[in-house]
Amino acid sequence: MVICLFFILRMTFEETGLRPEIVSAVTDLGFENPTPVQEKSIPFLLNSDQDLIAFAQTGTGKTAAFGLPILNEVDTAFNVTQAFVLCPTRELCLQISKDFESFAKNRKGLKIASVYGGENIERQIKALRKGAHVVVGTPGRVKDLINRGVMHIDEIEWLVLDEADEMLSMGFKEDLDMILSGTPQEKRSLLFSATMPKELVRIANTYMHNPYEINLGTKNKSSENVEHHYYCVRNKDRYNALKRVLDVSEDAYAIVFCRTRYETKDVADLLIQDGYMADAIHGDLSQAQREQVLKRFRNKAIQFLVATDVAARGLDIDSLTHVINFNLPDQTETYIHRSGRTGRANKFGISIAIITDREVRRIKEIEKIIGKPMILKEVPDAKMIGHKKLEYFIDKVCNATVDEKSLAEYLPSVSEKLEQFSKEELVEKIVSLELANILDYYKGSKDINVSANDRGGRGERRNGRSTNENFSRLFINLGKEQGLNAQRLMGLVNENLHGKSVEIGRIDIMKSFSFFEIDKNFDKQLIDQMDGEYFEGKRIGLEVSKEKRSGGGGGRRRNGGGGRDRRGGGDRRGGGRRR
Ligand code: AMP
C-alpha cells in the first residue's frame, strides 16, 4: 500500500538558525512559525553580510524580521551601542522596544533603550549613560541626543530604518541625512518600508551597499486582502456620502482619513451629532487626550476614528474592516499606507475613497500603483439603506440568545398584551418600527452620485442666474463678519484657481454671506476647490446661487432663506445611528 502524504512544509524558528534563547522567547509569545518576511529575512541576516531592503507593511511581522537576528547577534560582553533602529513615531518606537524586550528576555544582560520626543529627556539620557546595546529612537530626539553628545552611533554594526517612507513623508529628510552621516561605513543597513518613493531611492543609493531586496509583493502594492472601492459625488455631498456608506456597513470598524485637522474635527463632530460612535485624533490633542481616544477605539467604544495621516501614524490595529478616504491624500503613497491598515492578519478589508469627478484621474494613478482596479460603487439610496438595515436587524433577531429562565418573569404579561395580534401582524409592526426611523430619516433624499466618466457631472446643475450670460452667480457663506471684502474674495478665487486668468463680475459682500459672479466656465472648478475648505476657521459653503437677481441692482436675496442644510443634500440630520 502506498500512502501519499502531502505536507505544506513551513520553516520553524529553530531552522532559521536563531539561538535557543531567542527561539524559546518567541515560542513563549505564541509564535509557531516565522511569517513570510521573517522566513526570508532571518536566515539571510544571520548568514550574510549584505545590506537589506525589505518591502513589508506593519502587520507582516517585520519587527521580528529584523529584531530577532539583531538580538541574536548582539554581543552583551561589549558595552557599546551595536544596533540602532530609527523609526518615525513615538508609538512605533515604544512598540518596537517592547517587542525587543520580549524577544531578548532570555539573553541575560542585553540592554535596550528607547528615545523619543514628548518624554523627559533626562530619563532617556540616564538610560543611555548606563549603556545600551540596542537603541530604538525617533529622528528628532535622536538628533538632539547626538548633538548633546550623549548618544553614540559611531560604533554601530546594525542600522535599521523602519517605516522609512513614513519618516520621509513626515519631513525628517534632513534629520535622516544628519544622523546617517554619523554612522560608520562598516555596518549593515536594513531598510524596511511599505513603499519606495524617489527620495528613499536616493537614501538607499547614498547610504547602502549593494542591498539585497526582499519583496513580498508589497512594494507600492496593495495587500491581496484589500478591495478598493470609490464613490463619486459633488464636493458638498462628501459627508452625506460618508454617512450613507456607514449606514450600510453596520459592523464596520474603521478609520476615516481627512486631509486637515479642521476637516477631521468637523467630520467627527457631525458623525457624533448624527449618533455614530465616532471621535477624532488630530494634532491639536494633547498626548493624554490622544491616548484616551485611542484606548476607546481599541476597546471598540468608538467605531469610527476620524484622523489625519500624521495623527494616525504608529496606530497599530489589526482588525479594521474599512479604511475610508473622506478626501484622497495628496501623495499616492499615502493612499497605500492608509489602505494597508485594513486587510491585515489574514482578514478581508475594504478601502473606500469618496471623490469628486475632478479626481477620477487620481483613481487611475492609484490603480497603476496598487496594481489592481478600484471599483466604482453607487452611493446607497434610501431603499438600499433600508434593506441593509433591516437585514442587520433581522440577523440580530435570529441570532439573539434566549435565556428562558430570566425571561420567565416578564414573558407572561408581554404575551398577554400581544395576544391580540397574529404572527404576521407582529412581524409587520416590528419591521415598521425598525424601518420608520430610516425611512423618515432619508425621506426626500436625492441621488447624490455623479458620473465618474462624464466630467460635466450629472449631479451638477447650472441654475445660477447672472446679469451676463457668460457669468455664473455664486453664493458663499462668508461676509463682512468673517473679514471678507472684495479684494480678499478675489484673492481667494485666484488662489483656488491657481493663477488662471478668470474674469470676476459683480461682487456683493453682505454681513454674513456674499454673492459674486465668475466666468461660468470656472464655476464648477471653483466650487470643487473651495466648498468645504476653511476661511479664518469657518468651513466654506460655496454653491451656484438659486437667487433670482432683482432688476434694481443692490438688494439681492438668496432663494430659500438661510435655513438650508448645505451638507444634507436632502438628507436630514439627527436621525442617524442611535446607540
Ligand atoms: P509587526 O508587523 O512587526 O508590527 O507585527 C504584527 C503582529 O504580528 C504583532 O502583533 C506580532 O506580535 C505578531 N507576529 C510577529 N511575528 C509573528 C509570528 N511569527 N507568528 C505570529 N505572530 C507574529
Side-chain angles (χ1 to χ4, degrees):
M1 188 170 68
V2 181
I3 301 173
C4 294
L5 290 176
F6 294 98
F7 289 106
I8 298 169
L9 287 177
R10 288 193 62 187
M11 186 183 263
T12 62
F13 277 105
E14 283 85 359
E15 286 164 348
T16 59
L18 290 167
R19 37 168 110 213
E21 301 101 288
I22 299 279
V23 174
S24 63
V26 289
T27 309
D28 288 350
L29 285 171
F31 297 2
E32 287 172 6
N33 298 89
T35 64
V37 68
Q38 293 163 4
E39 260 188 29
K40 292 201 171 177
S41 68
I42 298 171
F44 169 78
L45 291 173
L46 293 176
N47 295 309
S48 101
D49 287 332
Q50 218 177 323
D51 286 352
L52 171 74
I53 296 183
F55 297 104
Q57 291 182 333
T58 304
T60 54
K62 67 180 168 62
T63 314
F66 59 78
L68 296 176
I70 290 177
L71 296 164
N72 192 80
E73 295 300 284
V74 162
D75 183 354
T76 50
F78 186 41
N79 202 21
V80 296
T81 300
Q82 297 161 46
F84 169 43
V85 180
L86 200 55
C87 63
T89 63
R90 164 197 161 106
E91 276 85 3
L92 187 59
C93 180
L94 286 167
Q95 186 61 47
I96 295 171
S97 30
K98 194 171 129 242
D99 286 353
F100 274 25
E101 294 285 356
S102 320
F103 301 155
K105 68 173 187 180
N106 300 329
R107 287 218 57 198
K108 297 276 169 281
L110 197 154
K111 287 178 284 182
I112 300 161
S114 50
V115 295
Y116 47 85
E119 211 222 37
N120 189 320
I121 198 164
E122 294 304 327
R123 198 196 55 77
Q124 296 176 358
I125 291 176
K126 236 187 228 169
L128 290 175
R129 290 219 163 108
K130 268 196 207 155
H133 299 107
V134 179
V135 178
V136 187
T138 53
R141 181 54 60 98
V142 165
K143 195 174 128 188
D144 192 357
L145 289 163
I146 292 175
N147 287 338
R148 287 172 188 236
V150 279
M151 183 164 169
H152 304 283
I153 50 172
D154 47 346
E155 288 190 62
I156 58 169
E157 288 170 29
W158 300 84
L159 167 74
V160 182
L161 300 179
D162 190 21
E163 299 201 359
D165 49 353
E166 284 281 4
M167 283 194 275
L168 289 174
S169 73
M170 285 173 76
F172 287 130
K173 177 173 166 281
E174 272 141 37
D175 290 352
L176 273 186
D177 274 320
M178 176 263 169
I179 294 166
L180 297 187
S181 60
T183 58
Q185 278 288 324
E186 285 291 306
K187 63 174 183 299
R188 290 193 78 180
S189 300
L190 321 180
L191 189 152
F192 281 75
S193 192
T195 62
M196 197 69 183
K198 269 191 211 126
E199 183 54 27
L200 201 53
V201 174
R202 179 194 68 82
I203 293 211
N205 289 340
T206 315
Y207 298 103
M208 300 181 85
H209 307 288
N210 182 29
Y212 175 71
E213 252 190 43
I214 292 180
N215 192 341
L216 294 155
T218 50
K219 176 186 181 181
N220 298 351
K221 288 270 178 283
S222 166
S223 148
E224 283 305 308
N225 296 341
V226 181
E227 202 169 282
H228 299 260
H229 298 173
Y230 70 103
Y231 295 87
C232 193
V233 295
R234 284 173 293 179
N235 198 28
K236 66 179 185 176
D237 285 326
R238 260 186 225 273
Y239 177 71
N240 197 347
L242 169 69
K243 220 157 51 64
R244 294 189 191 193
V245 169
L246 299 185
D247 281 344
V248 291
S249 322
E250 190 100 347
D251 298 326
Y253 176 50
I255 300 185
V256 179
F257 281 102
C258 293
R259 263 199 316 227
T260 64
R261 67 182 66 171
Y262 287 121
E263 190 174 81
T264 306
K265 280 187 210 169
D266 203 28
V267 170
D269 285 350
L270 286 169
L271 286 174
I272 294 165
Q273 207 174 305
D274 280 342
Y276 299 86
M277 296 196 301
D279 211 334
I281 47 166
H282 47 73
D284 283 352
L285 299 187
S286 68
Q287 189 60 31
Q289 287 171 319
R290 178 188 150 84
E291 270 159 24
Q292 188 58 31
V293 176
L294 291 184
K295 191 169 158 202
R296 290 176 53 229
F297 187 51
R298 281 204 177 89
N299 296 339
K300 303 207 171 160
I302 293 171
Q303 191 180 3
F304 304 112
L305 182 70
V306 190
T308 55
D309 293 291
V310 173
R313 277 178 179 137
L315 171 61
D316 196 11
I317 293 177
D318 285 343
S319 52
L320 295 181
T321 59
H322 293 69
V323 160
I324 300 173
N325 294 262
F326 184 74
N327 256 305
L328 282 176
D330 293 335
Q331 307 287 329
T332 307
E333 275 94 8
T334 309
Y335 177 86
I336 297 169
H337 278 287
R338 287 181 178 183
S339 60
R341 292 181 170 279
T342 184
R344 288 185 179 178
N346 288 331
K347 293 189 189 107
F348 175 72
I350 297 179
S351 173
I352 290 173
I354 301 173
I355 65 156
T356 65
D357 57 350
R358 301 204 153 268
E359 293 169 308
V360 174
R361 60 176 178 78
R362 295 287 317 278
I363 298 293
K364 309 269 173 264
E365 255 171 54
I366 295 171
E367 282 176 336
K368 255 191 228 153
I369 294 189
I370 60 175
K372 55 161 93 166
M374 293 187 77
I375 304 162
L376 174 64
K377 293 273 178 178
E378 288 267 309
V379 180
D381 59 10
K383 250 192 208 164
M384 284 166 74
I385 296 169
H387 278 294
K388 202 76 198 176
K389 288 233 169 200
L390 208 52
E391 204 179 290
Y392 282 120
F393 173 69
I394 300 301
D395 279 351
K396 251 194 240 165
V397 172
C398 293
N399 297 329
T401 328
V402 178
D403 177 355
E404 280 173 16
K405 253 193 194 160
S406 311
L407 286 182
E409 163 77 19
Y410 310 98
L411 276 186
S413 60
V414 176
S415 304
E416 197 183 326
K417 218 168 185 176
L418 297 180
E419 237 170 34
Q420 50 179 314
F421 303 112
S422 67
K423 181 185 157 194
E424 286 71 27
E425 283 170 330
L426 277 178
V427 169
E428 273 171 14
K429 278 185 185 295
I430 292 170
V431 169
S432 304
L433 258 187
E434 182 62 20
L435 271 189
N437 278 340
I438 306 156
L439 295 184
D440 184 40
Y441 184 64
Y442 281 105
K443 199 180 266 169
S445 63
K446 296 178 196 155
D447 174 8
I448 56 170
N449 290 285
V450 168
S451 163
N453 302 316
D454 168 17
R455 294 283 309 265
R458 79 177 189 237
E460 195 67 46
R461 285 174 197 100
R462 289 182 193 281
N463 43 12
R465 293 174 176 87
S466 165
T467 43
N468 180 335
E469 60 181 22
N470 297 323
F471 281 123
S472 197
R473 186 168 161 74
L474 302 188
F475 164 82
I476 187 164
N477 65 343
L478 303 172
K480 289 178 193 150
E481 277 175 349
Q482 286 75 38
L484 192 71
N485 55 32
Q487 211 170 1
R488 288 193 84 182
L489 180 70
M490 287 193 285
L492 265 181
V493 172
N494 286 333
E495 211 175 286
N496 281 283
L497 293 177
H498 303 296
K500 285 197 184 94
S501 158
V502 176
E503 227 182 313
I504 299 175
R506 183 180 174 126
I507 297 177
D508 296 311
I509 308 280
M510 311 297 187
K511 200 167 152 202
S512 59
F513 58 88
S514 307
F515 294 99
F516 63 99
E517 291 174 343
I518 181 175
D519 181 336
K520 70 179 183 194
N521 295 312
F522 292 91
D523 60 357
K524 193 166 170 311
Q525 185 179 351
L526 188 68
I527 290 170
D528 277 343
Q529 281 293 122
M530 277 176 68
D531 186 63
E533 294 301 322
Y534 287 82
F535 177 81
E536 303 288 357
K538 180 168 176 177
R539 194 182 159 111
I540 299 174
L542 181 66
E543 63 185 68
V544 175
S545 164
K546 312 276 186 307
E547 178 223 34
K548 245 195 188 104
R549 188 168 178 253
S550 63
R556 287 149 201 236
R557 259 165 286 112
R558 186 180 166 221
N559 272 357
R564 197 179 133 219
D565 176 4
R566 280 197 330 80
R567 282 185 200 93
D571 290 6
R572 289 182 298 119
R573 282 208 236 126
R577 200 177 290 197
R578 302 274 168 226
R579 293 184 195 255

